[in-house]
Structures are given as structure tokens and as C-alpha cells.
Amino acid sequence: MSLILFSGITVLALSALLFLPELPTGSVLCGIAVLSFVLLRSEVRILQALAWLGGIFCWGVVVAQQQINQIDKLTRRPLEAEVRVITTEPGRQQISIKIVSVSGQAQFPALQARVTVGDEVTEFCAGQRWRMRLRLRPVHGRLNEGGYDQQRAALAGYRPLGGRILQKTVITPECSLRADIMAAAGEELTGLKYGGVLQALLFGVRDTIPPQISQLFRETGIAHLMAISGMHIGLAAASGWGVMRCLQRGLPARLITPFLPGMISLLLAGCYTWLSGMQAPALRAMLAMSLWQIFRQHYFNFNSWQIWLLCAGGLLLSDPMFVLSDSFWLSTLAVLMLLVWYRWFALPRHYARHWRWRSLQLLHLQSGMLLLMLPLQALLFNGTSLVALPANLIAIPLVSLFTLPVAGLALLLTPTGFAGLFWQLADKSLTLLVMLLESPPPGWWYVTDAYLWGTVVWGGLLFFRSATCYHYPFHGLTLLLCCLLWRYPPRNEEWRVDMLDVGHGLAVVISQGDEAVVYDTGNRWQQSNAGERIIVPWLLRHGLKLQQVIISHRHLDHYGGLSGILSYWPATPVRTALSRRGHLRCFRGDRWQWQRLSFTVLWPPAGSTNGQNNDSCVIKVSDGFFSLLLTGDLERQAEMKLVALEKQHLQATFLQVPHHGSNTSSSPVLLRSVNGEVAMASLARYNAWKMPSLKVIERYRKAGFRWSDTAISGQISLRIYQRHYRISEMREEIFPRWYHQWFGVRPESR
């Protein structure tokens, strides 16, 4: 079997890990392994290919299952471990550690954990070794359609644990050389305006970049420049190769060899990879560059497509968990898109070879990348930047050819005391870049249907490149129309309710057709909020126009995302019971109609403006047959008063569980009055109040409710039809994947 075919089989076999709802059991793996061994002895090539396909698939599953087993073992009870500090995050008062051994037993794979240390974060630095008593727990991410997949990213980077330190004893107090270099550079960067950006460029540490600058880079499409990846490693390698070639000009002919520049380029790229903290994107770029160098030095007769496939297969075979990494697919597919663009849509030779057409060549490159990467950006980021083309035309030359080399020179000169001028020059170049990026208006374009755009962009370019468009133009238009009709089926449901997974908080979206009403907006965090991160992208992904926002009460976990929503839709009406200027009323007796749905406010009485849990705005939403009761954080005392006042109006099919399922709410008298079928609770797995109460869950089940909560299921969706409804849960039905499951203690054990 050829090496090229083996690489293709590797990519195909390990890509299956992206789609498995659960990992195969040991007996199934044994069966596949035995069958693969039998087929491998066949002389038929297709059977041999199937044998390798099965064997490599088993290898990927074993690696994934090994990490899951480690997670389960390390989170059962407190443990004694020897760890190495990887990074420190003073702003979050956390450190990242790698668990080297547990009770004297070496760990493989050596997983990483992020632990909270509070004000003691100053005691730690990268490279130290400690003996610690730890209480660890698995990473459990918020899960919504189109949202950031935290669990998949954690498993891809072998960082699936969090927790806290119970006891600690230092073994090796010395910091690593990289940490010392970073500390020395940090002192030089303290007074600079964009010192955090320079740290990101040199060391891959992005948590010191101001939030407004990070947002500017994302909206202008140049955020990739701040993440050390293939382009940066390639730039370092090219610099090493160029410097060595210049030095060779002064050497005797017998000492000039193409081998030496290649080795120097790899050495410089390796140094930069180490300086960046050996992050996964940099390591992948380094491995791919090493493979390419081996092919080149040994004169293997591979074309560019084959080298790409060999590198992709080699990377996945070295670590099957790369298949879960968004950055792996971004970098790998970006290279593939470059090959496609330059091979199939190249500039005429006259424009492609002369230096005076360099601006046109760069414009051609950026245009191709913007077009071909659009479907992938829609899939991963729910959009693309409309100003990315001019922004990258400015930023890439400036950062690559000036800022980064000058910052690297300043870093080398730091021990001599003559680095100040170069740090200033690098900072001034970033000042110029930010000024240029802030000139045009924001141009972020939400693109939500990645599969449609993939069909239109990639399929359309293939249709054009194959010249089929000239011979069968109407066939192509018919095919495009079929794709449009397939991606936009008619909506059969009359209305829909989605409880989004916002962690500890509440956000419920009620939609009819292409319009939506939001009840509560989730929490606000240190650098963002649920409205900006979760609700707005979710509404745009589903093509919904926001008609109104209802805030139940004034606690942060219920109104924290309001600012993020209003920053995108500033004219959106807001309804509360807080008697705020410009807000609509939400007091008992208020009613309004929205299409087929009637809204009736059952609580609080007019004049209750404290905004506490018992002042939550309780609303009944009904279509005349099915109904939903929204209760906010109502507690037992107010529940009793509500039942006394509105007992005859409380019956509802669906109930939003009051106060996240705490033991202070969901009184039996309320549940009997509601007499519903589905109870939906919004909560976080690791909340400080240990909600939901197991007694409350049992109370709902005895009352005849089907219990569902976001901690277990992620997003919960109700589709209501004319005389029936359907409930779907993200982890179980909407997007079931093995890497989305509840790792560690079983859900029913909490």
C-alpha cells in the first residue's frame, strides 16, 4: 500500500470520531480489530484498505477512551499528585497544571487541569513542580446550537479538568527558562499601550490583550495574527533560511550546501515553537514543516496535494485527538484552500511571477482565502468579516514584516539593556495598525448556514472550474435551486420554545415564524455576557427578528445579557416589573397578543418594584391549546400567594422550573395547580448552591412532569404543532456526540 493511500485512509478513519454519538465498547473494538487482521492477509487491495481503515479507527477510539478513563479515575475522589505548572493567569486567579503522576504512578496521557488558587497565584510560575492534594472535576461546557464547544476543545487539547488545591508542597521552586524570559519581557512591556498584543505575538499569551482590542481584531478578521500558528512558524523558518543563505554567500563553494539553511530554518522555527509554549497549533505546524523538510531532503517525488495529505494523515496518526480541534481543521483546510486557489484559479503567469505585481498577487491571495474559507468560518464562528480583505492586506505585511521581527529583535536585546527603542517601535506599529482598523465601520457579517454556503461556494467554483457551466448551464441552476429548497424547508411548527444553556441563569426564546421574544437574558461575566456570546448568535443563526425582551427580575443571572442584546438591537422594547423609564409594564393583569400567542402576566401585583426573587414577572403564554408558564426565580412564599390569586389560570402544559430547581421553590401546591407535562430547569452543573435539589426533581416526577434541565441536556427545544408537541434535548437528540456527554459522576448522582 502506498504512503499516500495510507494517509488518506488515516484521515477518513479518524474523522469518524467527529460524528460518533458514543464510543464503541471493548467487544465491538475487538471484533473490528479481528476482522481487520483477517482482511489484512488478503491480496485484494480494497480489502487491505478496509483492514487499515478498521485498525486506524480502533487506534483513534482507544486514544479517546483512554482520556475518558483518565477523567473518570482522576475525578472520583481527592488525589495526591505531582504536577508541573504550565501557565499562570493572574487576572482569573487560576493556574494550569499538568498531572505528571498520581500516588507515585506516572500518568499517560498526562492530562492538564485549570485550578483556582485565588490571591496565591503569585506563588506560582511556569516550570515549577509541586506535590498537591487536588479535588478535580471534568470540564462541562454550555451546549447550544452553533455555540462554542468547550468540551470538544478541552478533549482536543488534553485539558478536560478543573478544580481546586487542598494542600500543596513545592518540589522544584525554580521557574522555567521560558517563564524567566517572559518575566523579563513583561517588565519592558509594562508601560507600552499594546504590550499585551506583543506578548501574544511572542509567547502566545492572549489573556492580557484588552477586550476591546480583541473584539476589534475579531470583527476585522485579523485575530489569526495574534495566535501563533503555521504562518508565524513559517515566517520564523523563512527568516532562518534567508539569514543562512545570506551568510553562505561569504563561504567557500565546498561549504555551501542546501542542507544547512534547511536545518537552521527548522532550528529557528523550533525555538519559536518552544517560546510560544508548545501550543498545539505551533506544534502541528512544526511537525508538518519537519515532514516537508524530510521529503525535500530525500527528494521524494510528491506533488503539493500529496504532501498536504501526508502531513494531515501524519498529524492525525500522531495524535487522533487533533480531529476534535477547530484550529487543526482551520489550518489544514486553509492550506488546502491555498492549493485549490493557486492550482485552479491562478493569476496569468505574467502577473504571478513579477515583483511589480506583488500587490495584485496579495489581493488575489486574500480574495481566494476570503471566498473559500467562508463556509468553514460560518460553521465555526457563525460569520465572517466584510472588511477582512483590506484589513489583512494592511495587517499581514505590517505585523509579519515589521512588528514581529522588531519585537523578536527587542526580545534578543532585552538582557543587554538596549531593547527599549525596539519595543517602542513595535508598539508604535501596533498603534498605527489599530488606528487604521478603527477607520472603517464594523463589518462583521453573520453567516449561519454553513452547509448552504459550502454547497454554493465550493460547489459553484467546482462547477465553474470543470467547465460544466458552459455545457450544462440549466442543470447547474436547477441543482442550486434544489440546494436552496433543501436547506430552507417549510416550518411545520406553529410556535417554538428554546431554553438556552447559559450556565447558571435563565434565557428562554419563544418564536413564531421568523420573530422571537426573549424571556431573561442570562448572566454577565468578567469580559462578556450571555447576550453577546450566546443569545444574539443563536437568534441570528435561526434567522429570527427580536420583537421584545422580558426581564423577570433584577438579579444578574437573569438580566446580565441585556446589554449585549441591546448593543446589537438598540430599539428592542424591554418589559420588566421594575418601573424603569422606557420599559414596558409587567404586572399582574397585563395582557397582550403576539400573532397567535396570548401573554398574560399573573405576578407580581402592581407596585412591587423591589426586583427580588419573589417579585419575578410570572407570565402565561398560550395558543389556546398548549401553554407555557414562565416563573423566573419565584420562591415558596410568593408561590402560595400566586396560587391563592390565580389558581384557575395556572394550569399549563410546560413549566419553567422556578429558581433553578432550588428547595425554596416548586411547592407541591404550585405543581398541583399547574398540572403540566414538561418541566424545564435552567442551571449549571457546578453551581455553588448545588441546584437542583434531588427532592425537587422527585417532586416533579411524582406530580407527573417530565423533568429536563440544561446541566444534563444543554439546550432544550419544544416544537409545538397544532395538536401535539415534541421535546428535543441537545446532548441526547439534537447533536448527540460522545465528546458532549456528561463525564465523571453520573447525571443521576449529581
Side-chain angles (χ1 to χ4, degrees):
M1 178 180 294
S2 69
L3 196 58
I4 304 299
L5 179 59
F6 182 79
S7 298
I9 289 172
T10 300
V11 174
L12 181 63
L14 295 178
S15 295
L17 291 176
L18 279 171
F19 308 104
L20 290 176
E22 59 183 26
L23 295 177
T25 61
S27 57
V28 172
L29 282 184
C30 288
I32 295 175
V34 170
L35 180 61
S36 299
F37 180 76
V38 172
L39 293 178
L40 193 60
R41 301 176 65 86
S42 171
E43 296 182 358
V44 181
R45 292 192 63 184
I46 190 170
L47 295 181
Q48 291 180 349
L50 289 174
W52 282 112
L53 186 74
I56 295 170
F57 171 75
C58 290
W59 159 243
V61 172
V62 167
V63 172
Q65 189 61 60
Q66 190 177 34
Q67 187 173 177
I68 300 303
N69 293 340
Q70 284 285 85
I71 293 172
D72 292 340
K73 185 176 73 172
L74 296 176
T75 56
R76 288 176 189 167
R77 59 184 66 88
L79 53 89
E80 303 284 344
E82 183 177 323
V83 307
R84 180 164 56 87
V85 179
I86 304 298
T87 59
T88 61
E89 300 178 59
R92 297 180 179 177
Q93 297 187 326
Q94 292 178 329
I95 63 171
S96 293
I97 58 174
K98 178 173 284 188
I99 303 171
V100 179
S101 64
V102 175
S103 300
Q105 183 177 1
Q107 297 296 293
F108 184 82
L111 302 184
Q112 293 184 30
R114 177 175 286 178
V115 295
T116 302
V117 294
D119 295 333
E120 297 178 351
V121 67
T122 55
E123 297 182 17
F124 299 93
C125 66
Q128 290 179 330
R129 296 178 76 93
W130 291 76
R131 185 172 292 107
M132 294 180 176
R133 181 171 173 80
L134 300 167
R135 185 182 295 277
L136 300 175
R137 62 190 188 188
V139 169
H140 188 85
R142 294 182 291 269
L143 192 60
N144 299 285
E145 290 177 282
Y148 175 64
D149 201 333
Q150 184 181 2
Q151 285 185 217
R152 189 176 77 175
L155 290 170
Y158 294 91
R159 301 183 301 271
L161 301 171
R164 58 191 179 91
I165 301 172
L166 303 179
Q167 295 176 356
K168 63 182 187 298
T169 305
V170 65
I171 300 175
T172 307
E174 294 81 12
C175 302
S176 65
L177 177 60
R178 176 175 175 268
D180 292 336
I181 294 174
M182 288 178 62
E187 294 179 2
E188 298 280 347
L189 295 172
T190 301
L192 299 182
K193 186 175 182 180
Y194 297 107
V197 179
L198 292 174
Q199 282 190 321
L201 287 171
L202 292 172
F203 308 113
V205 179
R206 288 181 286 174
D207 57 334
T208 56
I209 300 179
Q212 64 273 17
I213 298 300
S214 294
Q215 183 176 357
L216 177 65
F217 288 165
R218 285 196 303 269
E219 291 180 350
T220 53
I222 68 160
H224 62 94
L225 288 175
M226 303 304 127
I228 297 178
S229 58
M231 189 186 76
H232 301 76
I233 304 303
L235 180 63
S239 301
W241 187 89
V243 169
M244 196 61 224
R245 287 294 292 163
C246 291
L247 292 176
Q248 283 185 329
R249 293 179 181 273
L251 296 177
R254 68 178 185 276
L255 297 179
I256 298 177
T257 170
F259 177 76
L260 190 57
M263 289 300 99
I264 296 300
S265 68
L266 282 180
L267 178 62
L268 193 57
C271 291
Y272 193 20
T273 301
W274 169 80
L275 197 63
S276 71
M278 308 289 282
Q279 297 179 15
L283 282 173
R284 288 196 299 267
M286 190 65 205
L287 179 57
M289 192 172 299
S290 301
L291 290 173
W292 176 80
Q293 190 70 22
I294 292 171
F295 299 151
R296 187 170 179 270
Q297 291 295 333
H298 290 81
Y299 302 101
F300 288 120
N301 189 22
F302 294 135
N303 60 37
S304 54
W305 303 98
Q306 292 172 331
I307 291 176
W308 176 86
L309 188 59
L310 285 168
C311 289
L315 288 168
L316 287 177
L317 192 63
S318 66
D319 187 355
M321 290 296 96
F322 280 160
V323 78
L324 301 181
S325 170
D326 289 344
S327 63
F328 169 79
W329 290 110
L330 274 173
S331 56
T332 303
L333 292 180
V335 174
L336 178 62
M337 298 307 163
L338 281 172
L339 294 177
V340 169
W341 190 247
Y342 274 111
R343 289 297 185 95
W344 290 1
F345 305 96
L347 284 171
R349 181 171 298 182
H350 174 73
Y351 298 105
R353 293 186 177 275
H354 293 286
W355 279 92
R356 66 174 177 269
W357 299 107
R358 186 61 65 190
S359 298
L360 179 62
Q361 295 165 14
L362 187 57
L363 180 63
H364 172 257
L365 166 65
Q366 288 298 323
S367 302
M369 291 303 293
L370 178 66
L371 182 64
L372 290 173
M373 293 297 288
L374 175 61
L376 191 61
Q377 288 185 317
L379 181 65
L380 297 179
F381 307 120
N382 295 321
T384 188
S385 174
L386 295 178
V387 297
L389 180 58
N392 277 279
L393 287 174
I394 296 170
I396 290 179
L398 180 60
V399 173
S400 302
L401 301 179
F402 185 83
T403 306
L404 189 55
V406 170
L409 182 60
L411 184 64
L412 290 174
L413 294 176
T414 295
T416 67
F418 297 103
L421 175 62
F422 295 98
W423 287 123
Q424 291 285 346
L425 286 173
D427 188 64
K428 293 297 182 184
S429 69
L430 291 174
T431 303
L432 174 63
L433 175 63
V434 171
M435 182 183 68
L436 293 173
L437 293 178
E438 289 177 339
S439 300
W444 184 259
W445 176 35
Y446 277 94
V447 183
T448 55
D449 200 330
Y451 302 103
L452 173 64
W453 282 100
T455 304
V456 172
V457 173
W458 295 338
L461 289 174
L462 182 63
F463 185 64
F464 174 78
R465 179 62 176 81
S466 62
T468 311
C469 59
Y470 301 112
H471 301 291
Y472 307 101
F474 294 105
H475 294 75
L477 293 175
T478 303
L479 182 62
L480 176 60
L481 180 61
C482 290
C483 291
L484 290 171
L485 294 175
W486 172 64
R487 291 306 300 165
Y488 292 98
R491 294 181 176 178
N492 297 320
E493 69 265 19
E494 294 194 344
W495 56 296
R496 173 172 169 168
V497 179
D498 293 276
M499 180 175 281
L500 304 186
D501 185 4
V502 293
H504 181 72
L506 178 65
V508 178
V509 180
I510 305 165
S511 58
Q512 296 183 87
D514 62 351
E515 296 182 350
V517 170
V518 172
Y519 180 83
D520 280 346
T521 59
N523 213 335
R524 184 172 68 219
W525 308 298
Q526 188 174 6
Q527 296 182 347
S528 185
N529 58 74
E532 175 189 342
R533 287 287 182 90
I534 300 173
I535 300 173
V536 170
W538 194 94
L539 292 171
L540 292 170
R541 180 181 179 84
H542 289 80
L544 297 174
K545 301 173 185 176
L546 186 59
Q547 302 299 304
Q548 186 177 135
V549 174
I550 304 171
I551 301 297
S552 63
H553 62 298
R554 69 177 186 180
H555 286 177
L556 189 63
D557 58 322
H558 291 255
Y559 80 86
L562 181 61
S563 60
I565 293 176
L566 294 181
S567 66
Y568 195 85
W569 293 295
T572 303
V574 179
R575 185 180 295 273
T576 70
L578 301 177
S579 298
R580 300 253 177 105
R581 179 179 298 178
H583 287 189
L584 301 174
R585 284 170 43 99
C586 193
F587 292 113
R588 181 172 178 255
D590 291 339
R591 300 172 184 270
W592 67 94
Q593 189 76 24
W594 173 48
Q595 296 184 34
R596 66 171 55 86
L597 295 179
S598 62
F599 288 69
T600 305
V601 182
L602 305 179
W603 187 267
S608 301
T609 60
N610 292 329
Q612 300 303 314
N613 286 348
N614 280 331
D615 301 313
S616 294
C617 183
V618 177
I619 300 177
K620 183 175 180 178
V621 184
S622 176
D623 65 0
F625 190 83
F626 292 111
S627 55
L628 165 70
L629 189 64
L630 299 167
T631 60
D633 272 358
L634 207 65
E635 295 185 343
R636 185 178 294 112
Q637 181 183 3
E639 289 176 0
M640 305 298 267
K641 295 179 181 178
L642 175 63
V643 171
L645 291 172
E646 299 282 358
K647 183 175 182 180
Q648 67 276 20
H649 298 130
L650 285 176
Q651 186 169 355
T653 320
F654 318 113
L655 172 64
Q656 174 252 312
V657 174
H659 201 198
H660 316 289
S662 80
N663 206 27
T664 62
S665 303
S666 301
S667 56
V669 65
L670 176 67
L671 302 191
R672 287 196 301 269
S673 300
V674 174
N675 191 27
E677 299 177 20
V678 176
M680 303 180 295
S682 179
L683 48 99
R685 178 178 180 183
Y686 298 121
N687 65 80
W689 304 272
K690 301 187 182 301
M691 296 185 287
S693 166
L694 297 180
K695 292 180 180 179
V696 169
I697 296 176
E698 186 61 26
R699 194 181 303 159
Y700 274 94
R701 288 173 177 164
K702 286 182 178 179
F705 286 86
R706 170 181 171 175
W707 174 275
S708 186
D709 67 61
T710 58
I712 291 178
S713 302
Q715 172 189 319
I716 304 167
S717 299
L718 279 169
R719 290 177 173 85
I720 296 97
Y721 304 91
Q722 191 170 6
R723 286 295 182 267
H724 69 283
Y725 65 87
R726 178 186 173 191
I727 182 169
S728 303
E729 297 157 325
M730 190 72 179
R731 279 191 170 87
E732 293 86 345
E733 298 175 71
I734 300 175
F735 202 61
R737 297 292 185 267
W738 67 270
Y739 44 81
H740 288 160
Q741 299 312 308
W742 180 298
F743 301 127
V745 64
R746 294 178 180 274
E748 59 269 19
S749 303
R750 297 279 179 175

